[in-house]
Amino acid sequence: MARIQWVGFDGDDTLWKSEDYYRQAEADFEAILAAYIDLADPRTHGHLLEVERRNLKIFGYGVKGMTLSMLETAIQLTDERISARDLHRVIEIGRTTLQHPVDLLPGIREAVAQIASDHEIVLITKGDLFHQEAKIAQSGLADLFHRIEVVSEKDEGTYARVLRELDVAPGAFAMVGNSLRSDIEPVLGLGGWGIHMPYHVTWALEAEHGVAHDAPRLRVVESAGQLAAALAAIEATPVA
């Protein structure tokens, strides 16, 4: 049987709401740009996303990187015509997003506590260190976790390092998260288990993955209340 020793949890859109605030920030950003450009012009479609993609290795993930990419995009798309006042409004969008409330997903506290009663659990979240630490503190969940990792990227190398430090084999590790790209695919690639709990909105870059819907080490749940049962099903699975 597949005895799981450690269970990992993602933070944003797994434990608490996040992408909703980014979507609102993008809508507010587009409202500013609408005074300068035709938002329906296909040449502008996806420009912010491509700037964010290009800047990821420089600015990293999170609101601060998004805000810098918004400023760059605004200057480019308006041919430098955007006013200082409107650039300041873009900065305020970032400030507001950084200060959003931390709203836990329904039932997640109970689900995490239930799993923590039988397993070691680790929070593995990526993004800006300062912002992630603030959200973790505000969530009220920190005391449930045996370890917390804030990382700059979630790839096989990062998970391999974390598993080494936890002294756990990949086959004895399960990761819970909303992102197939960041939470599930790297863990499956190492030989671990993934429990995918989709969120109702997903950032376009996080939607890029190569996980098959019928991957043998993948389980899918609709809500936090199903997590413990999914983990039990994994542990009841015969291991070849």
Side-chain angles (χ1 to χ4, degrees):
M1 300 298 177
R3 171 60 184 167
I4 300 299
Q5 298 175 14
W6 279 85
V7 179
F9 285 86
D10 170 49
D12 293 343
D13 299 321
T14 297
L15 300 180
W16 50 72
K17 299 177 182 179
S18 177
E19 186 62 22
D20 306 79
Y21 301 107
Y22 283 86
R23 293 297 176 94
Q24 183 60 55
E26 289 184 10
D28 294 341
F29 175 63
E30 290 180 353
I32 294 172
L33 287 186
Y36 297 90
I37 63 174
D38 179 7
L39 294 178
D41 188 330
R43 291 174 297 180
T44 69
H45 180 69
H47 193 94
L48 174 60
L49 182 65
E50 290 310 310
V51 172
E52 288 180 309
R53 187 196 302 275
R54 185 174 67 246
N55 287 337
L56 273 180
K57 292 184 178 180
I58 302 172
F59 301 147
Y61 294 90
V63 177
K64 295 173 185 175
M66 177 196 72
T67 304
L68 288 170
S69 292
M70 282 181 171
L71 291 169
E72 181 179 346
T73 298
I75 293 168
Q76 290 175 347
L77 289 181
T78 65
D79 295 323
E80 302 182 359
R81 292 181 294 112
I82 189 167
S83 69
R85 175 180 178 274
D86 283 335
L87 289 176
H88 186 261
R89 290 172 64 194
V90 174
I91 293 173
E92 286 304 311
I93 289 172
R95 190 191 311 275
T96 299
T97 308
L98 282 169
Q99 295 173 331
H100 71 71
V102 177
D103 295 326
L104 297 183
L105 269 61
I108 197 66
R109 172 182 289 280
E110 295 79 8
V112 172
Q114 182 178 2
I115 292 173
S117 67
D118 295 318
H119 300 81
E120 302 288 321
I121 63 172
V122 54
L123 171 58
I124 307 175
T125 185
K126 73 180 179 186
D128 176 76
L129 177 62
F130 187 84
H131 193 206
Q132 290 296 322
E133 287 183 337
K135 287 192 284 189
I136 292 166
Q138 292 172 42
S139 74
L141 299 175
D143 290 346
L144 294 176
F145 289 93
H146 301 98
R147 181 163 176 153
I148 294 174
E149 292 274 348
V150 180
V151 300
S152 59
E153 183 58 276
K154 285 181 169 181
D155 53 20
E156 286 194 18
T158 297
Y159 283 105
R161 173 189 62 78
V162 172
L163 295 185
R164 285 195 304 270
E165 293 178 1
L166 297 178
D167 193 24
V168 60
F173 177 76
M175 182 68 187
V176 178
N178 70 293
S179 171
L180 287 168
R181 174 180 178 266
S182 295
D183 303 320
I184 307 301
E185 187 168 20
V187 174
L188 296 183
L190 291 172
W193 298 81
I195 302 178
H196 184 217
M197 187 170 69
Y199 195 59
H200 68 97
V201 288
T202 302
W203 187 33
L205 293 186
E206 291 295 341
E208 300 173 355
H209 64 84
V211 179
H213 73 278
D214 58 350
R217 289 178 174 265
L218 171 67
R219 301 293 183 270
V220 181
V221 300
E222 297 179 355
S223 66
Q226 299 175 352
L227 288 174
L231 186 58
I234 288 173
E235 295 192 305
T237 302
V239 178

